[in-house]
Amino acid sequence: MNETKNPLGEKPLNSLLAQFAVPSIVAMLVSSLYNIVDQFFIGRSVGELGNAATNISFPLSILCVGISLLFGIGGASAFNISMGEGNKEKAVGYLGNAAVMLVLCGLVLTVITSIFLQPLMIFFGSPDNVLGYAKQYTRIIAFGFPFLVLTTGGGHLIRADGRPRIAMTCNLTGAIINTCLDAIFVFVLGWGMRGAAAATVIGQVISAMLALWYLSHCKTVRIKRGDLILRRDRVARVASLGAAPCSNQLAMMVVQIVMNNSLKHYGALSEYGDSIPIACVGIITKVNQICMSFIIGISQGLQPIASFNYGAKKYSRVRSVYLRAISCGFVIGVVAFLLFQLAPRQIISIFGDGSELYYQFAIRYFRIYLFFTFANFLQPITSNFFTAIGKPTRGVFLSLTRQIIFFLPLLVIFPLFMGIDGIMYVGPIADFLALVVTIIMIVRELRNPRYKA
């Protein structure tokens, strides 16, 4: 089929972006829902220490998403760029290698987590009174890592094949099962942390099986046995294109670990103690993930459209779809900002009761740390845009600006002078600096005359 007849190169951009972004948003929301649902049931049954325990385990979930993006978005970008260039044989090779790497990396992570469980929980910042709960929860969810990685990463590959609704269905099915089983295991059977973890793994297994079945029945290509044999050039190309979103997740994981340890240390020196800050920040981080799910979903919906049209040299369409994506992101950011500023106590109350100190810390953290929520859409969308057009180095750099270049140094310095309050003010400052860098980089890119041709 002539590539000019491909709907990615011909269909109106608004409908294309909606077609790919909405299922991507749902998929990201579903991924966040796994954490939010566990947080709700654990908070209501186990309480503050259970909430803190899920936050201690959270870096491993971030790492799973990072692996998923490395080979999921990387494989999808390589596939779509090659299809746009008319090289179908090369495209399907990227798809097969990406799927294999998703499974292998998930298995490796499970083994490492199981062997080094307690040292990892301590390294991630667990206080003594939280460690037992963290080990209970993580020991079980570790068995779901290969399935979580395959579901999340496989969803990107499925969307690249032109079936975003199938990817949405795979994720949504597992999330619904997880929610139902959470209620049964935690509230009815009283299994606590173990019940929430078991429900999560079962949902992930079912989602992964659906994704695996579809990948073996793609719409536009057929993956053969030879496409599953790992080749260095294929894996390198996929990894290079997925490096930007993966780097952002790895940076988030590093920040989360340093954050947990900082909250533990400076919390113990404050009136809040070492567990209240960890519990509150865990909940708030996952609530903010809901907002970011919309943003990241838009950036992922942008990916196949920008990749194909860039490969087909339709640069005006590439520019137009990017501008549409950031317009949508701005609206979502403003809505989230208003919610976080006006209703922080109501949001935190959903996840169980706490002392007045607990609510005091949560409200201040919401309003200060997440102050720049209205502008945080630009960096992830732009970072993924650079990846989609085959410029992964720029995407990687941009993805690291907020978390590593700005946030981490400030996270070390500010609390030395301001105590635990310093952690809160690091967020908006790092967000603002990353925003400035993003604007400079994207303006330079879009000034290229080819985008106006």
Side-chain angles (χ1 to χ4, degrees):
M1 183 176 69
N2 191 318
E3 71 262 22
T4 59
K5 298 299 182 183
N6 191 306
L8 289 172
E10 298 294 320
K11 197 171 178 180
L13 290 175
N14 284 342
S15 59
L16 266 180
L17 188 59
Q19 177 186 345
F20 283 90
V22 171
S24 297
I25 289 169
V26 172
M28 291 303 301
L29 284 172
V30 167
S31 179
S32 299
L33 190 62
Y34 277 107
N35 294 315
I36 287 288
V37 166
D38 279 0
Q39 197 84 60
F40 172 80
F41 285 104
I42 288 171
R44 291 287 177 178
S45 62
V46 180
E48 178 186 308
L49 296 181
N51 280 331
T54 61
N55 195 32
I56 295 301
S57 178
F58 195 49
L60 291 171
S61 297
I62 298 174
L63 181 55
C64 285
V65 175
I67 295 170
S68 302
L69 298 181
L70 179 65
F71 296 109
I73 285 185
S77 297
F79 174 82
N80 286 128
I81 290 173
S82 295
M83 291 291 280
E85 295 170 343
N87 196 332
K88 190 172 182 178
E89 182 178 349
K90 182 186 288 187
V92 71
Y94 289 136
L95 208 65
N97 271 224
V100 172
M101 288 302 298
L102 288 169
V103 176
L104 289 179
C105 289
L107 289 170
V108 170
L109 183 58
T110 294
V111 172
I112 292 174
T113 302
S114 299
I115 294 173
F116 301 104
L117 180 60
Q118 180 160 319
L120 282 172
M121 297 298 97
I122 294 173
F123 178 68
F124 291 167
S126 177
D128 292 339
N129 58 348
V130 175
L131 183 59
Y133 293 107
K135 288 169 60 178
Q136 281 181 22
Y137 183 75
T138 309
R139 182 178 287 112
I140 297 173
I141 67 165
F143 288 102
F145 289 162
F147 304 102
L148 173 59
V149 170
L150 179 59
T151 300
T152 307
H156 299 297
L157 303 180
I158 293 170
R159 281 189 289 275
D161 185 50
R163 290 291 182 89
R165 291 183 181 178
I166 298 293
M168 179 179 67
T169 301
C170 293
N171 284 277
L172 194 57
T173 300
I176 292 172
I177 291 171
N178 173 45
T179 303
C180 295
L181 292 181
D182 255 327
I184 296 171
F185 291 171
V186 177
F187 284 168
V188 178
L189 299 179
W191 290 356
M193 302 290 295
R194 293 185 180 90
T200 297
V201 172
I202 292 171
Q204 290 167 349
V205 169
I206 293 172
S207 289
M209 293 301 101
L210 291 173
L212 190 62
W213 179 88
Y214 181 78
L215 285 173
S216 64
H217 298 80
C218 289
K219 181 179 74 169
T220 59
V221 297
R222 183 67 61 190
I223 299 178
K224 300 175 184 176
R225 185 173 298 178
D227 300 315
L228 301 176
I229 299 174
L230 296 179
R231 283 176 37 182
R232 183 178 300 178
D233 60 326
R234 292 174 179 172
V235 174
R237 174 63 170 165
V238 167
S240 70
L241 291 173
C246 175
S247 297
N248 194 43
Q249 291 296 314
L250 293 179
M252 286 175 59
M253 182 185 73
V254 172
V255 166
Q256 185 70 33
I257 293 169
V258 176
M259 175 74 85
N260 283 347
N261 282 280
S262 297
L263 290 168
K264 174 185 174 182
H265 176 73
Y266 291 103
L269 300 176
S270 73
E271 59 183 335
Y272 303 113
D274 58 3
S275 60
I276 283 179
I278 292 177
C280 290
V281 171
I283 294 171
I284 294 167
T285 298
K286 291 165 189 173
V287 170
N288 186 47
Q289 268 198 324
I290 296 177
C291 166
M292 295 308 296
S293 292
F294 285 92
I295 304 302
I296 295 172
I298 290 170
S299 75
Q300 291 173 358
L302 166 73
Q303 177 269 315
I305 307 167
S307 292
F308 181 89
N309 284 283
Y310 196 86
K313 303 188 187 311
K314 296 186 176 185
Y315 300 116
S316 62
R317 285 175 63 83
V318 175
R319 180 179 185 274
S320 295
V321 76
Y322 169 78
L323 295 177
R324 285 167 170 79
I326 62 171
S327 298
C328 295
F330 174 72
V331 173
I332 292 165
V334 170
V335 172
F337 169 79
L338 293 174
L339 284 173
F340 296 163
Q341 293 298 314
L342 299 178
R345 188 181 184 105
Q346 290 84 345
I347 295 173
I348 202 75
S349 297
I350 295 172
F351 302 94
D353 296 325
S355 64
E356 194 55 38
L357 279 175
Y358 173 86
Y359 285 114
Q360 178 184 319
F361 181 87
I363 292 169
R364 293 189 69 227
Y365 193 89
F366 255 123
R367 288 176 172 162
I368 297 172
Y369 186 85
L370 296 178
F371 180 79
F372 268 102
T373 300
F374 63 89
N376 284 345
F377 67 93
L378 192 61
Q379 191 233 29
I381 292 177
T382 306
S383 174
N384 206 36
F385 172 74
F386 280 121
T387 297
I389 62 174
K391 298 182 179 181
T393 303
R394 298 183 189 184
V396 170
F397 171 76
L398 195 54
S399 70
L400 294 178
T401 52
R402 194 267 183 188
Q403 304 287 7
I404 299 298
I405 298 175
F406 300 131
F407 189 93
L408 267 184
L410 294 175
L411 183 58
V412 173
I413 296 169
F414 273 35
L416 294 175
F417 302 98
M418 302 174 64
I420 199 163
D421 285 353
I423 297 175
M424 299 186 191
Y425 286 98
V426 168
I429 295 172
D431 289 339
F432 175 75
L433 294 173
L435 176 65
V436 172
V437 174
T438 302
I439 291 172
I440 292 171
M441 289 183 66
I442 193 60
V443 167
R444 290 181 62 185
E445 173 67 26
L446 295 182
R447 278 181 176 172
N448 191 309
R450 65 185 169 197
Y451 289 108
K452 299 174 184 179

